[in-house]
Amino acid sequence: TSSRDLVLPKLEINLDAMDVVLDEGWLKPLVMWLQQASASEDDSSQGVPLQLIQASAGRPIIEGYQPLALPSVVQVEELQISAIDLTMWCCLRLSNLLFLPDYLRAMCRVLSFSGSFILDGANLQLPAKSVPPHRGSLDDFVYALVSEYGIALFKNIGHFLGKSSLLRLPLAPYRFGQVALYSLG
């Protein structure tokens, strides 16, 4: 057919527990790809060039106009997603995280007492979901999924930080106290 609609009457996504290892081997190519994908053709953020305005002056606005193709419609009538259980391992040098602002890298360096961001077996658990029926654009569908899992992700942030290198500074007095107590006993 000529329709660009995607209709999924029933969709089940079942995932088993997974270990995910993040390192610089995939990070640099991913960041470069994202930068290339989001760069405009002329890479100009200064507005409309004067030459384009001069070329279009005095011409009807609909001359050469081509209507955009209608966006695809995604229709999901029933979607079941199993519980998601990820264990994350990560060791990234802060100097390679150039997509982060300098102040965030500096804050991470101070909080972790090192030049690396480390996740040491951080567990991310998301509950099983039954997503309500949807008919609309793919962007709206993805936004609805992110909204479904947003609260669960927020609840996991404390556990995630507890397994990261970012809590070394706040935990330093506690660790010194432990050492002192063990040396007394």
Side-chain angles (χ1 to χ4, degrees):
T1 72
S2 63
S3 174
R4 294 180 36 195
D5 292 0
L6 177 63
V7 178
L8 302 169
K10 181 174 182 174
L11 183 62
E12 282 187 44
I13 300 174
N14 295 308
L15 300 172
D16 200 1
M18 291 185 281
D19 282 2
V20 178
V21 178
L22 309 174
D23 62 11
E24 280 124 4
W26 71 267
L27 181 66
K28 285 181 183 177
L30 175 67
V31 169
M32 285 178 18
W33 180 81
L34 288 172
Q35 287 172 340
Q36 289 173 354
S38 64
S40 64
E41 287 182 23
D42 62 359
D43 207 32
S44 172
S45 60
Q46 302 299 318
V48 179
L50 179 60
Q51 294 83 5
L52 182 61
I53 293 172
Q54 289 173 335
S56 62
R59 291 187 7 216
I61 195 165
I62 59 170
E63 184 180 305
Y65 174 75
Q66 295 291 324
L68 299 174
L70 292 174
S72 296
V73 172
V74 175
Q75 179 174 329
V76 178
E77 295 171 9
E78 183 181 344
L79 172 58
Q80 302 288 329
I81 303 174
S82 69
I84 299 171
D85 185 10
L86 299 175
T87 303
M88 308 284 288
W89 305 87
C90 169
C91 183
L92 299 171
R93 288 179 294 194
L94 294 173
S95 59
N96 288 337
L97 303 179
L98 299 176
F99 56 90
L100 290 178
D102 290 338
Y103 66 89
L104 279 180
R105 283 188 304 210
M107 182 182 73
C108 290
R109 188 170 287 112
V110 168
L111 290 175
S112 65
F113 283 137
S114 74
S116 297
F117 173 72
I118 298 169
L119 284 176
D120 195 17
N123 196 280
L124 174 65
Q125 293 180 331
L126 301 174
K129 291 281 184 185
S130 178
V131 180
H134 171 83
R135 179 168 172 80
S137 71
L138 180 61
D139 288 345
D140 291 344
F141 181 66
V142 170
Y143 180 79
L145 283 178
V146 170
S147 297
E148 287 284 327
Y149 284 108
I151 293 172
L153 286 170
F154 188 71
K155 287 180 179 177
N156 277 283
I157 229 149
H159 180 71
F160 227 67
L161 288 175
K163 293 287 189 166
S164 78
S165 59
L166 294 180
L167 291 183
R168 287 188 181 155
L169 178 63
L171 290 176
Y174 175 72
R175 301 271 188 231
F176 290 134
Q178 276 184 329
V179 170
L181 287 175
Y182 287 133
S183 64
L184 291 176

